[in-house]
Each structure stands twice: as C-alpha cells, then as structure tokens.
Amino acid sequence: MTTSRDFLGKFESGNVKILQDMGYFVHYAANMKEQEDLYDEEKVNRLGVMVHHIDIERSPYMLRNNWKAFHQLVELVRRYNISIIHCHTPVGGVLGRLAGRYFQRDGICIIYTAHGFHFYRGAPWFNNSVYYCVEKMLAHDTDILIVINREDYESACRFRLKKGGKVFRIPGVGVDMQKFSPLTEEQRQSARQTLGIRPGQTFLISVGEINKNKNQEIILKALSLIRDRGKDMTGLFYGICGDGFFRGYIEQQIHSMGLDDNVKIFGFRKNVREILGCADVSVFPSKREGLGMAALESLSMGIPVIAADNRGTREYMKNGVNGYVCAFDDADAFADRICAVMDMTGERKCEMQKRCRMSVEMFERKKTEEQMYEIYRVADEMIMRDVRHG
C-alpha cells in the first residue's frame, strides 16, 4: 500500500512478480482518485493484482481522510485475510504499521520501505524531533524495515523493531541499465533537434517534480551568475522536465531573471530516456533525496551529473569522476561546475561518460530484485513461524 496510484507501475512491478512466483496473491491499496500522469491502467491490469481505493492523502495533516483510509485498510486486511502488509511513503508507512498493530495477534508480517526518512543530518528541528520520534515508535510494529542509503541504515539499526525484526538496505528500486543506455550519435542529434537545442549548445537537463525540495531555482540563480560573469549565454540551454505546484513560481523567476531564451519547462514527458540521453549534463540540485533515480538514470546513460550534496547522492556521486557535487544552496558552485562542463574538452567528456555508467552498476535493477527476493523469503519464514507457534 502507498499514497499515490502510480507507485505500483513505477516502482513495484518487480516486487509483485517475486511475490506471485512465491505463491502470493497481491492486492494494491492507494488513493486511486488522484490524477497521476504516469498511471498506466493497462500495465497494472497485466500485473494481475487486485486494486483498491482508500482515501489516503500525502499530507499527514489531512486527518479525516487518513483516519478513514486506516479503517478502509483494516477492512481490506480482514476481508482478504492478508498475510503481508508492505507499505511505502511516509503516510502509507504510518497507516500500514498501525493496521499491523491492530492485527498484531494474527501473525501478519509488516514491511516498511523508507524511501528516505524525513529526519536526517542537517534537517530542520521539526523533522529531527517529531518525525524521528514517530519512526522510532512505529518501528516497534515493524517486522522488516527497508532503507536505501547508508545514513538511513545507520538510523534504522538503532531502532527497536518487533521481536525478530530485521533491517535491510537495498539499492533503491534499481536502474534498468538496458533501457537507460547511451543513445547513438544519430539518436542524440535527432532528439536535440526535436527539443530545439541548437548545434554547439551545452544542454543542461533537470528531471523531476517542480517543487521547493527539487530546488530548480538554484540553477536559475547559477545561470544568472554565469551571465553576470560575461559568459556567452547563447551557448547554454537549460530544460526542466517535469511539472508541479511550484511551476508558476519557477516560470515567474525565469522571466524576472531574464532567462527566457535560455530556459524552457518541457512539462511532464514520457520520453524521459531520449531527453536525458541527448543532454550534456544532468543537474540534480535537490535539498533532500533518499537516493535519486533521475540522477542514477542519467549516469546510466553516460550523462555526467552536477548534484547537490545529500545523503542520497553520496551513495554514488564522486566529485570530478562522474560529475560534480555542490552544496544545495551554493549558486556560485553550481555556476562554476556548469562552466566547467561548457569548457570541457572532448577527451575529458568521453572519460567522464565512461565512468558515469560504471558508477551505476551496483544499483542495477537485478541486484535490487535479488535482495527483494531474499527479503520476501524472510517475511515468508516469519509468517510460517507465527503459524507454527499460533
């Protein structure tokens, strides 16, 4: 279970297949009334899962709907005799584990995948106090806690899980390195022409929801600094691939900074592979990331990344090797690194591109699937243990 209906198709199809191969029938509970551009109903139907709507909301402050969603979840567990609750996203993690507490005598295995705790080094006081306390408390109701980076793993290991509970660290949902492989030069030039990138321009790309955390604004500030330094801006183009509630603000900033000729918001696109693959560099300035699939997919395509330093990007970014790392609020540093890419020789670009793809190998999807099979095997053993002792 999770909050958004597109989560299954985007991230969980591999897990569904593993559970089905183990003999489980899979149900999926989420807010199916949310409008999601990436939701693929046909793909979900092909997965052979039973889909259920619950009134869960992303915001923990939507108490009425989330309380209703909790009761809906409890009813689903009771009606379908659910054996495993695998919950995702912060609110999904809360409701799923509270449902597990409700059925604690029935031997249900509770799995929570934290795609990035909301508390972390350098987080606001509220996050590192309130969110930490919530996770610490709910850990008591968790059989298996899955995290995707070192910092979260260290935190998770300090929690007290249910008796016999285990913590696992996996490389995110895994990168499909066959799909996200470098484009041919012909494909690259064709994609650039389609996007309106002029010959010789350095093309920067950001992929992700347009919001405050994704921090696209710092790149606009960096571009403004580059212009103020006297750099020829006709050779630079920045594309933002995504949409979100912050879009209007970013459009306003583009105009007020006089960057209309250098920046374009492409909006939501399904052909992300082609857009990433024809870029010269991917900029990933997020303030907070659990891991960062957009950056990993860029690296998998041989595209260097200029990333903000956070617990997610620390898992794979090596400054000067597969790109560059900056403080998330340092526009000068981002400007310096963008200029470094613009001035990079062809030989240096080729070197970095090779290292990019190599840096993603440990995050390949098959490695995640191998680990998830082991995790579900452990969950299956927990259920059998409880049945024997029940």
Side-chain angles (χ1 to χ4, degrees):
M1 67 158 294
T2 184
T3 50
S4 58
R5 66 176 187 161
D6 67 332
F7 196 90
L8 178 64
K10 284 167 64 178
F11 302 125
E12 289 298 294
S13 55
N15 288 347
V16 168
K17 181 68 164 57
I18 293 169
L19 286 166
Q20 289 171 336
D21 289 346
M22 293 174 67
Y24 285 89
F25 184 85
V26 180
H27 297 256
Y28 179 59
N31 189 332
M32 304 306 294
K33 295 179 181 177
E34 271 196 344
Q35 293 301 312
E36 295 285 353
D37 292 323
L38 290 176
Y39 182 68
D40 188 337
E41 188 171 357
E42 287 187 14
K43 181 178 180 180
V44 171
N45 290 338
R46 289 196 301 270
L47 288 173
V49 304
M50 185 175 287
V51 175
H52 307 277
H53 167 76
I54 58 175
D55 290 290
I56 188 170
E57 298 285 351
R58 296 177 190 230
S59 171
Y61 305 110
M62 302 288 285
L63 297 178
R64 179 178 294 179
N65 279 11
N66 286 328
W67 181 242
K68 183 178 179 181
F70 168 73
H71 287 285
Q72 290 168 330
L73 180 61
V74 166
E75 177 58 29
L76 289 174
V77 173
R78 181 184 289 117
R79 184 189 310 165
Y80 295 101
N81 195 26
I82 300 296
S83 301
I84 297 174
I85 299 176
H86 189 169
C87 44
H88 302 263
T89 68
V91 176
V94 170
L95 300 190
R97 288 180 286 179
L98 289 178
R101 179 183 295 180
Y102 185 89
F103 290 100
Q104 61 183 329
R105 295 182 182 177
D106 295 354
I108 297 173
C109 181
I110 306 298
I111 306 174
Y112 173 50
T113 298
H115 298 272
F117 287 135
H118 276 252
F119 63 89
Y120 51 93
R121 286 197 294 269
W125 174 87
F126 183 87
N127 295 52
N128 285 341
S129 53
V130 175
Y131 287 135
Y132 174 82
C133 289
V134 170
E135 288 293 346
K136 184 178 180 180
M137 177 185 68
L138 290 173
H140 302 333
D141 302 299
T142 309
D143 291 286
I144 294 175
L145 179 54
I146 304 171
V147 296
I148 60 175
N149 60 64
R150 289 187 196 92
E151 184 179 321
D152 285 355
Y153 182 75
E154 291 168 3
S155 297
C157 287
R158 291 193 290 269
F159 291 152
R160 183 167 65 85
L161 274 61
K162 283 172 68 173
K163 186 177 179 180
K166 296 178 181 292
V167 177
F168 292 88
R169 176 177 157 223
I170 65 172
V173 297
V175 179
D176 185 343
M177 293 189 70
Q178 288 188 322
K179 176 181 178 181
F180 289 96
S181 57
L183 300 181
T184 65
E185 186 58 28
E186 183 179 356
Q187 290 171 328
R188 174 180 158 82
Q189 293 305 326
S190 175
R192 287 172 73 95
Q193 186 175 5
T194 300
L195 292 171
I197 313 301
R198 296 196 299 272
Q201 278 191 316
T202 298
F203 177 34
L204 319 178
I205 186 69
S206 286
V207 176
E209 184 178 350
I210 303 176
N211 60 37
K212 194 170 184 179
N213 176 62
K214 294 299 182 182
N215 200 27
Q216 292 93 349
E217 184 179 11
I218 200 70
I219 305 303
L220 302 183
K221 292 178 179 178
L223 297 181
S224 183
L225 286 172
I226 292 171
R227 181 188 57 205
D228 293 345
R229 293 174 184 178
K231 193 82 171 178
D232 181 9
M233 295 295 286
T234 60
L236 189 58
F237 188 86
Y238 174 41
I240 301 173
C241 190
D243 215 331
F245 67 90
F246 223 52
R247 177 170 179 161
Y249 173 77
I250 292 297
E251 288 175 332
Q252 183 183 41
Q253 291 298 101
I254 292 169
H255 184 68
S256 65
M257 292 183 188
L259 295 170
D260 301 82
D261 293 335
N262 301 98
V263 184
K264 182 175 180 179
I265 298 178
F266 295 128
F268 168 77
R269 293 292 187 97
K270 289 189 175 180
N271 60 331
V272 171
R273 177 180 178 270
E274 289 76 13
I275 296 174
L276 279 178
C278 74
D280 295 289
V281 65
S282 176
V283 284
F284 195 62
S286 301
K287 299 176 183 179
R288 172 182 59 82
E289 285 289 344
L291 196 61
M293 287 304 298
L296 285 168
E297 289 168 352
S298 298
L299 293 171
S300 183
M301 298 197 73
I303 305 302
V305 174
I306 302 176
D309 179 38
N310 57 55
R311 66 190 155 153
T313 58
R314 286 181 209 125
E315 296 291 299
Y316 47 85
M317 286 304 303
K318 295 181 179 178
N319 196 46
V321 176
N322 58 355
Y324 300 101
V325 180
C326 312
F328 76 85
D329 56 353
D330 192 343
D332 277 297
F334 275 103
D336 290 342
R337 298 315 187 191
I338 292 169
C339 288
V341 171
M342 292 178 72
D343 297 336
M344 198 179 287
T345 64
E347 184 179 354
R348 173 71 173 138
K349 283 182 182 178
C350 287
E351 274 179 30
M352 189 170 278
Q353 286 167 356
K354 290 176 184 176
R355 291 172 181 167
C356 287
R357 192 157 167 83
M358 290 171 60
S359 67
V360 184
E361 290 175 355
M362 65 183 294
F363 298 92
E364 196 168 3
R365 180 165 293 175
K366 66 179 181 181
K367 297 186 185 300
T368 295
E369 290 174 350
E370 288 168 1
Q371 288 181 262
M372 285 308 304
Y373 176 80
E374 174 62 19
I375 289 168
Y376 284 137
R377 187 190 62 77
V378 170
D380 193 60
E381 288 180 355
M382 288 179 174
I383 293 167
M384 292 300 102
R385 178 196 64 200
D386 289 338
V387 168
R388 288 194 298 270
H389 292 110

